Amino acid sequence: MTTLTTMEKKDTRSGFGDGLYEVAKKNDKVVGLCADLTGSLKMNKFQDEFPERFFQMGIAEANMIGTAAGLAISGKIPYTGTFANFSTGRVYDQIRQSIAYSHKNVKICASHAGLTLGEDGATHQILEDIGLMKMLPGMTVINPCDYSQTKAATIEIADHEGPVYLRFGRPKWPIFTTDMEFTIGKALHMREGTDVTIFATGHLVWNSLEAAKALAEQGISAEVINIHTIKPLDNKAILDAVANTKCAVTAEEHQMNGGLGDSICQLLARNTPLPVEMVAVNDSFGESGTPMELLEKYGLGVKDVIAAAKRAVSRK
Amino acid sequence: MSKTTYELENYVKQTRRDIVRMVHGVQSGHPGGSLGCTEFLTVLYQNVMRNNPTSFDISGKDEDVFYLSNGHISPVFYSVLAHSGHFPIEELATFRKINTRLQGHPTTHEGLPGVRIASGSLGQGLSVACGTAQAKKLDGEDKLVYVLMGDGELQEGQVWEAVMYASHNKLDNIIATVDVNGRQIDGDTKDIMGFADLKSKFEAFNWNVIYMDGNNLNDVQDTLSKAGVLSGSGKPICILMNTEMGNGVDFMMGSHKWHGIAPNHDQLAEALRQNPSAVGDY
């Protein structure tokens, strides 16, 4: 059994900032656009090192999306940066027409996603963005789980031709994928198990690993699979996993409607119907609080993943 | 080689014929704004733009590029693209029909040469132009980015985000034309959401602003030349182009009513009678 331990914590947005700097060093087509949140998105290093390739867009996200499309037409690889709320819901039609339908090679990079944005409250805590983005034909949707994976994903997407939504967050979070490979659309096995498979994405991967440890002490063997790419979904990895465990839990910092769980339920319903329990926000907005308080209050804590796993096992 | 005024007049008449025939053929589409912009797009594509229509490259690298932001006037766009050599004019017969590359609103989805971005949902084209203009500057190119918007379209807030961005970043390689026909679907723009003085608005945003009579071929040619000279002067260029919606078909002029309806058989015959073919129908 693999046991993942961590000593260090870092925010996933720093993984984006460092990844952007790294990929820009290698690829001079990479350009960065930011809507007045350069510090929050950790784009300063890129901006300082490549000022001619950095475009300050001001508080004008719709124009940022269109400008990115225009840059992409000319062969650049634009990375847009703002909060997830303003990266998606605020500019949905601009993304739909100028990027997705027009198939432009734009990387929409979205920080401060989900409840763990914390104290700023529900206006900024978007929990619908994965759903919005995954519904767009041709859009790749990636939600990495820690600093290292976010950095790897930021570098990797430059080589992927087509629009990408890359979602990450604000809080410092354990780093545990440093030596792991990242391939778009390829699920990562984080922990072996035989009684239940936990499919987790983003920050909830760590909570799921913690839950699996606790479950093991209680005699339940939980497999944990990191679905960093929600679209295209790694159907084979998911179906192979549940062929052994016969039940599943999904875990994500997103609405239940439209999220990872929803995608996995569709896949299982069409192929191999079996018990699924979903750890996600249940048709509710968030509120102010610390990230950990919010995860607990809205049912996304370690204890919630444990409870969901037990329910799933009991329904087999 | 530049077309003479006589040749341009023939292209204009031909495009008017194409517009009313295309819209009549599927009993849908937008003839009014299309007819109003016929002279402008004809001159732009026949005499002004430095591009390579017969081997279309979507990147527009080292070429002048044009973005149609008010995508609903696709009939005039398609006709002008075809007559400038982007694709065979016979394809105009497929407008808005199943499996066509000539979708109701322009798109790159079907790979139609001449189209670099989808448009139709209004207000987005100037932003796209900003991106391409920025890229051309980054690459040290001296080519220009043209964009056409409707005047009603200026009611979209995104346009003003882009107006602000373009001047702040000195995108003097953008020539943005506004089709000031004073009409939109529900009526006259002054009644729906008036702009007061557009020239002073753009000038307040630090743009160079020039007027053009969009239905006068000579004035279009002269003004586009003047705009080209103004490029590179540190400010983006706005052409306020006065046009008559429905221009060239008398019963479609003087009203907003022909924004998005198709002529019947008799109306088509009358429109064609007013614009005899000199280039050849599709």
Side-chain angles (χ1 to χ4, degrees):
Chain A
M1 185 185 290
T2 311
T3 308
L4 292 156
T5 53
T6 181
M7 299 299 290
E8 197 187 352
K9 285 186 174 183
K10 236 178 183 179
D11 44 5
T12 51
R13 55 185 165 144
S14 286
F16 166 67
D18 291 347
L20 180 62
Y21 173 70
E22 290 296 322
V23 74
K25 277 199 293 192
K26 292 193 298 188
N27 189 335
D28 64 6
K29 290 181 181 168
V30 169
V31 296
L33 298 79
C34 188
D36 196 35
L37 287 168
T38 313
S40 297
L41 271 283
K42 307 290 181 188
M43 294 172 81
N44 313 73
K45 199 151 89 172
F46 171 84
Q47 181 185 15
D48 292 345
E49 199 64 29
F50 307 102
E52 74 290 349
R53 287 198 263 154
F54 174 80
F55 303 111
Q56 173 57 262
M57 303 306 298
I59 311 163
E61 295 83 4
N63 185 51
M64 176 166 73
I65 294 297
T67 301
L71 283 157
I73 289 169
S74 302
K76 306 300 175 194
I77 306 174
Y79 284 62
T80 66
T82 182
F83 290 165
N85 192 22
F86 315 136
S87 293
T88 57
R90 189 178 181 92
V91 291
Y92 196 62
D93 184 49
Q94 285 78 13
I95 293 175
R96 181 178 180 274
Q97 175 171 287
S98 289
I99 293 182
Y101 184 43
S102 296
H103 197 69
K104 295 307 175 217
N105 191 22
V106 174
K107 317 305 171 189
I108 302 161
C109 303
S111 185
H112 293 55
L115 292 170
T116 53
L117 166 94
E119 294 79 356
D120 277 350
T123 52
H124 288 49
Q125 289 162 345
I126 194 161
L127 293 162
E128 302 82 30
D129 53 324
I130 291 174
L132 287 168
M133 292 296 109
K134 80 175 188 182
M135 280 199 294
L136 291 169
M139 182 67 74
T140 294
V141 179
I142 302 173
N143 184 30
C145 62
D146 70 353
Y147 165 87
S148 299
Q149 194 171 70
T150 309
K151 183 176 174 184
T154 304
I155 294 168
E156 180 83 7
I157 57 177
D159 293 328
H160 170 86
E161 174 71 31
V164 173
Y165 178 62
L166 180 67
R167 178 197 214 232
F168 42 91
R170 174 172 181 259
K172 290 195 165 42
W173 209 250
I175 303 175
F176 53 97
T177 69
T178 302
D179 299 322
M180 293 186 176
E181 193 177 311
F182 175 85
T183 307
I184 295 171
K186 193 159 169 35
L188 272 180
H189 280 75
M190 309 297 293
R191 181 184 173 108
E192 303 298 323
T194 53
D195 295 328
V196 57
T197 307
I198 304 172
F199 298 107
T201 192
H203 292 135
L204 268 281
V205 177
W206 179 252
N207 285 10
S208 299
L209 289 166
E210 292 287 280
K213 267 198 274 183
L215 285 163
E217 288 164 12
Q218 298 171 44
I220 295 174
S221 168
E223 176 184 33
V224 178
I225 296 184
N226 169 207
I227 308 289
H228 50 67
T229 306
I230 291 153
K231 186 185 173 188
L233 200 60
D234 190 344
N235 294 350
K236 184 172 184 308
I238 294 164
L239 294 173
D240 286 352
V242 297
N244 295 322
T245 58
K246 307 291 185 199
C247 70
V249 170
T250 63
E252 61 194 307
E253 193 184 347
H254 189 270
Q255 296 288 352
M256 200 176 289
N257 280 328
L260 168 68
D262 168 307
S263 290
I264 288 180
C265 285
Q266 276 190 46
L267 176 72
L268 298 185
R270 282 179 299 171
N271 290 277
T272 174
L274 44 73
V276 180
E277 293 289 331
M278 297 164 83
V279 175
V281 176
N282 189 9
D283 202 27
S284 159
F285 290 103
E287 65 184 76
S288 293
T290 67
M292 298 316 284
E293 286 170 341
L294 290 162
L295 291 179
E296 291 296 322
K297 177 163 179 176
Y298 287 85
L300 309 184
V302 175
K303 70 173 173 33
D304 300 294
V305 182
I306 294 169
K310 288 180 178 172
R311 287 197 306 273
V313 170
S314 74
R315 287 174 54 204
K316 282 209 270 190
Chain B
M1 195 163 74
S2 277
K3 301 286 191 301
T4 64
T5 303
Y6 175 73
E7 289 172 313
L8 292 171
E9 279 169 355
N10 286 337
Y11 276 113
V12 164
K13 281 182 197 146
Q14 186 59 52
T15 287
R16 288 179 190 152
R17 292 176 68 85
D18 293 346
I19 291 165
V20 291
R21 290 182 69 224
M22 288 160 76
V23 173
H24 173 264
V26 284
Q27 285 296 295
S28 74
H30 298 80
S34 291
L35 289 163
C37 293
T38 298
E39 290 88 347
F40 166 66
L41 284 172
T42 298
V43 173
L44 186 68
Y45 272 86
Q46 293 291 347
N47 273 5
V48 175
M49 276 173 57
R50 299 161 291 179
N51 63 347
N52 192 355
T54 51
S55 59
F56 176 69
D57 169 13
I58 197 165
S59 80
K61 187 89 184 147
D62 209 29
E63 289 183 277
D64 291 341
V65 301
F66 170 76
Y67 293 120
L68 180 69
S69 190
N70 48 336
H72 59 277
I73 66 164
S74 57
V76 63
F77 189 33
Y78 294 147
S79 171
V80 167
L81 286 177
H83 288 292
S84 56
H86 286 81
F87 55 85
I89 60 167
E90 290 73 24
E91 201 168 343
L92 296 175
T94 70
F95 174 64
R96 284 186 173 231
K97 292 177 180 166
I98 192 77
N99 297 326
T100 185
R101 297 198 293 180
L102 279 60
Q103 291 288 300
H105 293 80
T107 170
T108 57
H109 206 253
E110 276 72 29
L112 186 70
V115 182
R116 294 188 165 89
I117 190 97
S119 60
S121 175
L122 294 171
Q124 302 186 29
L126 185 58
S127 298
V128 179
C130 284
T132 299
Q134 198 80 74
K136 285 188 179 300
K137 284 196 174 282
L138 195 54
D139 292 341
E141 270 190 45
D142 63 352
K143 296 299 188 293
L144 299 172
V145 183
Y146 294 90
V147 56
L148 175 62
M149 298 174 279
D151 53 359
E153 184 176 6
L154 301 186
Q155 291 156 7
E156 293 282 7
Q158 184 183 348
V159 173
W160 300 98
E161 292 182 6
V163 165
M164 214 181 299
Y165 181 86
S167 57
H168 179 80
N169 290 283
K170 299 185 169 49
L171 297 180
D172 53 12
N173 50 350
I174 290 180
I175 298 179
T177 300
V178 182
D179 177 18
V180 187
N181 62 23
R183 321 255 189 228
Q184 57 190 107
I185 295 180
D186 274 358
D188 290 351
T189 48
K190 66 176 169 31
D191 299 326
I192 306 297
M193 184 80 77
F195 323 109
D197 181 0
L198 272 184
K199 184 169 189 284
S200 59
K201 276 194 167 64
F202 274 90
E203 283 177 344
F205 281 103
N206 209 23
W207 282 55
N208 265 321
V209 183
I210 48 180
Y211 285 113
M212 179 164 89
D213 177 351
N215 297 135
N216 178 320
L217 279 173
N218 290 328
D219 196 51
V220 171
Q221 181 79 59
D222 292 347
T223 308
L224 286 176
S225 299
K226 187 175 164 190
V229 171
L230 280 173
S231 69
S233 63
K235 293 181 182 184
I237 297 135
C238 170
I239 300 176
L240 295 175
M241 175 175 79
N242 290 307
T243 69
E244 178 66 48
M245 188 183 263
N247 189 54
V249 177
D250 60 7
F251 59 88
M252 291 187 178
M253 296 163 67
S255 155
H256 66 276
K257 297 208 170 81
W258 287 90
H259 169 89
I261 60 166
N264 63 28
H265 184 73
D266 291 342
Q267 289 164 332
L268 172 68
E270 177 56 20
L272 295 177
R273 191 192 64 75
Q274 293 176 21
N275 292 282
S277 175
V279 174
D281 287 333
Y282 61 82

